[in-house]
Amino acid sequence: MSLFPPPYTSAGSRAVGIVANAYGDPYSIRIMQGAAQELVEDGFHAVCCMGGFPSAPIFRDEQGEPCFPGALDACILLCETLRGSEAELESAARKAQVAVTLGVRFEGVCSVTANVETGVFQAVAHLVKRHNRSRIAFISGPDGSVDGERRLSAYRVALESLGIAPDPALLVAGDYETHSGREAIRQLRQQHFDAIVAANDLMAIGAVEALQEAGLRVPEQVSIVGFDDIEEASFAAPSLSTIRQPLHEQGVSAGRLVAQQLSRTGITRHEVVSAPFIVRESCGCASAEASERGSHPPGPNLDRDRGLLEDALRELVRRELTAARLRRELARVAGEILGAPDYPELAAAMTDVFGLLGLKRFWLCIYAGGQRHVRVVLESSGRGVIFRHHSQPFGVEELLPPTTLNPEKPCQLLVEPLEIAGEQLGYLVLEGNVRDAHAYLELRRHVSSALGRLAYGRELRRLYASEKKRVHRGP
């Protein structure tokens, strides 16, 4: 297949997938927001697939191999979050009509990557030379994270270049979530260490919390460095020194690369963005420098910086309060969703959710006739949600019934695979901007449980009817 297909025509759906295996983490959301914004401005539907790769049927072909839905004209892959093997990722990327990878490069596939090696070296060298740290632990990403392997390799190379032999006892596996940073500290307590570099900020923040609970002072006794520079890094206590990735900008770059390929204009194969080391309090530098400045009267620049920080903090608090209120409202209607005895009642319960999330459109699709076809059972009607009792099945690779999306009215869609106990049930498609993904995660869980309950009830009724017939016929 040619890397660049023939010039794109408006006859297609103009849909681009942004694929991640993450539910609500700030890293994925910031990149998705940047990519979706760029794509919609360029006239494409942005289809944000927030989980399921590569196990969900929408990401498998008839032979069971990883691929992307045929309805997507292109795909942007957040490789750091995708848990498939590197071989699976590369194979799926090559099968896509057009693909852009973030965080990893495959030969012949366009990509956006950060200069991880330089950023990690700057951080490790800073800890060694500025703070005399020599026992530097590392909390790695999960198995199967291609970009996580790059960060781990960069850490090892940085130590060796500074004359420090990496100690396997100081390497702890994480999963990019806060709790694994806390767990890493429990594992490291038996070792001597004076600094930690974490493969992302959430794990670094979890490590700080666990150290403080154990009575260890950060940064006086242990220096901490994260990776990504998410919003929480600036407002942590102490504020987190980290290696910055321009997340929103990477998403915009990926969206632009896709648009260039589809239109065959100004094509760029690869973009590399800087990942500088950002000094804050958790490594020990910023707090020391702040104390040295304490005897000097604040100047206009310091007052301005304080004002900007206060504005940013107020905005963060406002968003958190809004998200918390939304989650409370979802919890309120969760009982109605979980207790729905049939699809019409589930539609009634979902009508409340439709309003809460401010969705423009909404589809609930379940697998039919195996897992290669799907049909819409619930769909928004403008003001609520209705049950489609006799909807026609369509191929799973289409995602939505043909002609559902208007090429002349680009929009943002979120695709949430539904499963319970490993059983694939279907998926949700929500039309609305990517914002509080935690609310979508809660909705996905509630709807998955409701579908599982309905399927279990149908099976019980079938078994009861079969047993009743058997007893009626007699021995």
Side-chain angles (χ1 to χ4, degrees), residues 458-468:
R458 287 195 299 271
E459 180 64 13
L460 282 180
R461 289 192 293 271
R462 186 189 67 79
L463 290 174
Y464 174 77
S466 176
E467 180 65 14
K468 188 175 180 180

Side-chain angles (χ1 to χ4, degrees), residues 92-110:
R94 295 191 184 284
K95 290 177 185 176
Q97 298 182 58
V98 169
V100 172
T101 60
L102 278 90
V104 65
R105 287 179 62 168
F106 299 125
E107 186 65 30
V109 179
C110 291

Side-chain angles (χ1 to χ4, degrees), residues 259-282:
Q260 288 173 352
Q261 291 185 72
L262 292 175
S263 63
R264 296 293 300 272
T265 58
I267 294 171
T268 303
R269 291 177 180 269
H270 306 290
E271 289 194 11
V272 179
V273 298
S274 62
F277 175 52
I278 305 300
V279 174
R280 295 197 182 99
E281 295 175 342
S282 67

Side-chain angles (χ1 to χ4, degrees), residues 173-184:
D175 66 0
Y176 285 145
E177 299 295 337
T178 306
H179 72 88
S180 67
R182 299 172 66 90
E183 176 60 29

Side-chain angles (χ1 to χ4, degrees), residues 123 126-133 194-196 208 211 217-226 237-242 277-293:
H126 181 85
L127 292 172
V128 172
K129 295 180 178 180
R130 180 67 182 268
H131 299 292
N132 297 316
R133 306 303 194 190
D194 54 21
I196 294 174
V208 170
L211 286 168
R217 298 189 305 280
V218 178
E220 292 82 1
Q221 292 175 278
V222 180
S223 297
I224 302 284
V225 171
S239 58
L240 187 65
S241 298
T242 186
F277 175 52
I278 305 300
V279 174
R280 295 197 182 99
E281 295 175 342
S282 67
C283 70
C285 252
S287 57
E289 292 171 356
S291 63
E292 292 173 3
R293 294 196 301 265

Side-chain angles (χ1 to χ4, degrees), residues 66 71 148 231 388 464:
E231 279 188 322
R388 296 293 190 192
Y464 174 77

Side-chain angles (χ1 to χ4, degrees), residues 204-442:
I205 291 170
V208 170
E209 294 172 351
L211 286 168
Q212 291 172 335
E213 291 172 3
L216 295 173
R217 298 189 305 280
V218 178
E220 292 82 1
Q221 292 175 278
V222 180
S223 297
I224 302 284
V225 171
F227 201 111
D228 288 334
D229 196 22
I230 60 175
E231 279 188 322
E232 286 87 338
S234 298
F235 300 108
S239 58
L240 187 65
S241 298
T242 186
I243 299 155
R244 172 179 292 164
Q245 286 205 85
L247 302 176
H248 186 271
E249 291 78 3
Q250 285 187 73
V252 171
S253 295
R256 185 172 60 249
L257 283 180
V258 164
Q260 288 173 352
Q261 291 185 72
L262 292 175
S263 63
R264 296 293 300 272
T265 58
I267 294 171
T268 303
R269 291 177 180 269
H270 306 290
E271 289 194 11
V272 179
V273 298
S274 62
F277 175 52
I278 305 300
V279 174
R280 295 197 182 99
E281 295 175 342
S282 67
C283 70
C285 252
S287 57
E289 292 171 356
S291 63
E292 292 173 3
R293 294 196 301 265
S295 58
H296 301 287
N301 288 339
L302 184 58
D303 290 340
R304 180 200 62 196
D305 292 344
R306 284 175 177 170
L308 292 174
L309 183 62
E310 289 175 358
D311 289 344
L313 184 57
R314 276 194 291 269
E315 175 61 19
L316 182 64
V317 170
R318 184 194 66 78
R319 290 205 304 268
E320 284 299 316
L321 290 175
T322 300
R325 183 168 60 251
L326 179 57
R327 289 193 288 272
R328 286 196 301 271
E329 289 297 310
L330 280 176
R332 177 180 60 81
V333 300
E336 299 175 15
I337 295 174
L338 295 172
D342 51 33
Y343 280 116
E345 289 295 325
L346 181 58
M350 293 297 291
T351 295
D352 287 341
V353 174
F354 184 78
L356 284 174
L357 294 178
L359 300 173
K360 297 178 181 177
R361 287 187 290 177
F362 171 101
W363 300 266
L364 171 59
C365 307
I366 63 170
Y367 297 120
Q371 295 186 333
R372 300 312 307 164
H373 289 83
V374 69
R375 68 185 186 91
V376 175
V377 291
L378 299 184
E379 181 180 357
S380 62
S381 60
R383 295 185 177 180
V385 181
I386 58 176
F387 172 43
R388 296 293 190 192
H389 183 65
H390 298 293
S391 63
Q392 292 298 312
F394 53 92
V396 67
E397 68 278 359
E398 297 298 323
L399 279 179
L400 285 170
T403 72
T404 298
L405 300 179
N406 183 348
E408 304 303 322
K409 294 182 179 180
C411 64
Q412 291 188 35
L413 301 173
L414 287 87
V415 178
E416 297 270 7
L418 303 172
E419 62 175 284
I420 188 168
E423 181 179 356
Q424 299 291 334
L425 306 171
Y427 51 89
L428 284 169
V429 182
L430 315 174
E431 182 182 341
N433 295 340
V434 180
R435 45 177 190 171
D436 182 21
H438 291 287
Y440 302 131
L441 173 59
E442 290 301 309

